[in-house]
Amino acid sequence: METLQGYEVLDAFDEGPRHAWARARSRADQRPVLVRLPSRGTMTRVERARARFGYDLAAGAAGGGVARPLALEPVREGLALVVEDFGATTLRRWIDDQRGAAPLGAV
């Protein structure tokens, strides 16, 4: 898992071809956060622009169950999105719990 200056990355909980999500803790104030890291080594100019747009969009929508974005941090040749971790479960885990079935990825 990627290291990110100013954060202690605790564990990855979702990895895909373009990004990975991990639980982390801010070293400055020990606040729990979620970090979305790019999976590839570098991000294109368009991908960096999308990351900035996503940050701005989420900042305007924060509240009511939407995780508030805290920062866009430089990592390798890209950007990592840092959002608050308010202890919610992932949508995939919630759906699995509601269905009482095997996890989505296990079938």
Side-chain angles (χ1 to χ4, degrees):
M1 177 54 55
E2 183 74 36
T3 59
L4 186 61
Q5 187 173 359
Y7 299 90
E8 177 186 1
V9 178
L10 304 173
D11 69 296
F13 63 88
D14 184 35
E15 295 187 51
R18 292 188 296 179
H19 65 269
W21 282 96
R23 294 191 190 287
R25 181 175 300 125
S26 167
R27 287 197 168 106
D29 58 10
Q30 299 301 305
R31 177 177 25 184
V33 297
L34 301 175
V35 181
R36 182 181 185 222
L37 296 155
S39 293
R40 294 191 320 268
T42 61
M43 293 174 79
T44 66
R45 183 181 303 173
V46 171
E47 289 171 327
R48 286 192 300 273
R50 283 184 185 149
R52 287 185 183 98
F53 177 75
Y55 174 85
D56 292 340
L57 188 65
V66 176
R68 183 171 52 101
L70 302 173
L72 270 178
E73 299 287 351
V75 59
R76 288 177 272 141
E77 297 293 320
L79 295 169
L81 173 65
V82 180
V83 299
E84 67 180 337
D85 181 359
F86 53 83
T89 188
T90 65
L91 180 58
R92 179 175 296 168
R93 185 171 292 155
W94 183 84
I95 290 170
D96 291 342
D97 290 347
Q98 297 303 309
R99 294 168 71 202
L104 289 175
V107 180

